[in-house]
């Protein structure tokens, strides 16, 4: 990564890995209370549909254990608990304040016994190999600089034949749509964020991190290099979000 030249944050490409991690922690500690509202509002409610679609693609083949990495306020973990009543779920994030919101919702929906929250780092998952049937990460991989390492960790903790699900925003390459989306990400979204959030810089970061995320083909290649097979991509809402699914090989890979 390039070194930052000035004091002010300009782009995810201009900061070191350590600065990036620090900034991600700060952002998610300060937007906690408004996170769910802004998520639904800024995506016009599509985020709910995207997580539901992700859950619908899951297969629990052995132990019915699901790990939700970078769980945030636990919306995907809750969706999985709702759809698969036999599952047990670990929801992991390195920002405790985000998980506190998730814990509160999980309690409200009566999932406290099935969803356990754990503070931890996606780059060093605190589980032994072959612990989960499915591991998922929704809108989290973009915030992790060492994506290959996070994917290798997710693969390590999966059972053989287990599934890795990555739901992530995408910057469409189609020129007309790209122009409109650029306008939304760089002008409308920061404008709305200024009105609703105490931390509008978080939404500058959101736009910036989406624009700099690898293309679907590049990301699928990163998954392949991490050892996943049968990699699928599902393009959602005109390609602004993608669900990537990879399998851990039956022989462990
Ligand atoms: C955009 S939120 C996504 C939350 C949730 N999965 C969702 O669907 O809304 C990203 C989350 O990733 C977490 N995160 C980023 N890097 C992480 C890491 N290395 N380990 C654990 N959590 C991380 C942040 O703390 C934040 O809660």
């Amino acid at each position: 990564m390039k070194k930052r030249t000035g004091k002010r944050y300009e782009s995810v490409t201009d900061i070191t890995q350590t600065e990036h991690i620090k900034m991600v922690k700060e952002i998610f500690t300060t937007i906690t209370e408004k996170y769910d509202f802004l998520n639904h509002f800024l995506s016009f409610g599509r985020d709910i549909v995207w997580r539901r679609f992700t859950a619908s693609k899951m297969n629990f083949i052995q132990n019915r254990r699901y790990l939700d990495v970078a769980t945030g306020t636990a919306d995907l973990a809750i969706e999985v608990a709702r759809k698969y009543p036999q599952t047990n779920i670990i929801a992991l994030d390195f920002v405790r304040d985000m998980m506190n919101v998730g814990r509160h919702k999980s309690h409200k929906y009566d999932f406290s016994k099935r969803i356990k929250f754990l503070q931890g780092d996606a780059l060093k998952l605190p589980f032994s190999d072959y612990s989960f049937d499915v591991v998922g990460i929704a809108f989290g991989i973009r915030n992790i600089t060492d994506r290959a390492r996070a994917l290798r960790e997710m693969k390590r903790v999966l059972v053989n034949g287990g599934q890795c699900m990555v739901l992530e925003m995408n910057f469409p390459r189609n020129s007309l749509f790209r122009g409109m989306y650029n306008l939304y990400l760089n002008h409308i979204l920061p404008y709305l964020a200024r009105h609703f959030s105490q931390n509008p810089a978080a939404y500058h970061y959101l736009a910036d991190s989406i624009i700099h995320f690898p293309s679907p083909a590049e990301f699928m290649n990163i998954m392949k290099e991490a050892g996943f097979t049968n990699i699928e991509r599902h393009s959602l809402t005109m390609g602004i979000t993608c669900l990537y699914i990879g399998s851990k090989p039956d022989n462990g890979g």
Side-chain angles (χ1 to χ4, degrees):
M1 271 192 178
K2 281 183 268 166
K3 255 318 227 171
R4 186 165 56 174
T5 46
K7 270 193 177 151
R8 202 167 72 85
Y9 163 74
E10 292 292 346
S11 164
V12 284
T13 58
D14 294 335
I15 54 175
T16 65
Q17 207 152 320
T18 313
E19 285 172 323
H20 191 150
I21 292 169
K22 185 167 172 270
M23 187 180 67
V24 167
K25 285 186 176 167
E26 268 170 23
I27 285 174
F28 288 106
T29 305
T30 53
I31 62 168
T32 306
E33 292 303 319
K34 295 261 171 58
Y35 178 80
D36 281 351
F37 165 73
L38 282 169
N39 234 357
H40 304 329
F41 182 73
L42 296 174
S43 75
F44 305 105
R46 298 309 294 168
D47 65 309
I48 298 170
V49 178
W50 298 331
R51 287 194 200 82
R52 200 168 290 158
F53 180 78
T54 304
S56 76
K57 292 282 175 189
M58 293 181 181
N59 273 321
F60 290 89
I61 53 175
Q62 278 184 33
N63 57 27
R64 299 196 184 113
R65 280 166 55 82
Y66 170 64
L67 170 64
D68 197 42
V69 179
T71 194
T73 59
D75 275 1
L76 183 57
I78 289 169
E79 190 55 42
V80 175
R82 198 178 273 140
K83 181 155 182 64
Y84 302 99
Q86 308 294 324
T87 51
N88 283 304
I89 296 163
I90 306 273
L92 174 138
D93 201 289
F94 63 16
V95 174
R96 192 182 289 276
D97 293 346
M98 288 288 275
M99 286 193 297
N100 284 343
V101 176
R103 197 177 276 119
H104 182 74
K105 287 191 297 192
S106 153
H107 184 70
K108 187 170 104 191
Y109 296 124
D110 210 13
F111 290 136
S112 304
K113 287 208 173 77
R114 291 178 47 219
I115 304 180
K116 301 287 175 221
F117 288 85
L118 188 68
Q119 191 170 21
D121 191 341
L123 296 178
K124 211 175 170 199
L125 294 174
F127 309 105
S128 48
D129 303 357
Y130 314 112
S131 296
F132 300 92
D133 275 353
V134 182
V135 178
I137 182 165
F139 311 115
I141 197 83
R142 196 179 64 235
N143 301 295
I144 298 175
T145 47
D146 195 346
R147 295 177 184 125
R149 181 166 161 196
L151 289 167
R152 284 197 303 273
E153 272 296 88
M154 290 166 77
K155 176 178 169 248
R156 181 183 65 75
V157 301
L158 276 171
V159 299
N160 291 349
Q163 280 178 310
C164 169
M165 327 279 295
V166 181
L167 183 65
E168 193 46 87
M169 306 292 291
N170 174 43
F171 190 55
R173 269 62 188 171
N174 163 315
S175 57
L176 172 68
F177 194 57
R178 191 188 170 98
M180 279 160 43
Y181 196 45
N182 219 342
L183 182 77
Y184 174 70
L185 281 180
N186 286 313
H187 300 282
I188 301 174
L189 191 137
Y191 171 82
L192 293 171
R194 264 196 299 280
H195 280 72
F196 289 112
S197 169
Q198 288 171 336
N199 187 358
Y203 290 85
H204 169 61
Y205 167 77
L206 171 70
D208 191 44
S209 61
I210 293 170
I211 290 165
H212 289 101
F213 192 70
S215 70
E218 286 163 348
F219 188 70
M220 287 168 87
N221 207 35
I222 299 174
M223 285 186 81
K224 189 170 159 214
E225 282 174 0
F228 290 105
T229 54
N230 303 325
I231 300 164
E232 295 170 20
R233 173 170 72 98
H234 300 266
S235 182
L236 306 169
T237 313
M238 295 183 286
I240 61 169
T241 290
C242 288
L243 170 64
Y244 304 90
I245 307 176
S247 303
K248 180 166 176 172
D250 289 337
N251 63 5

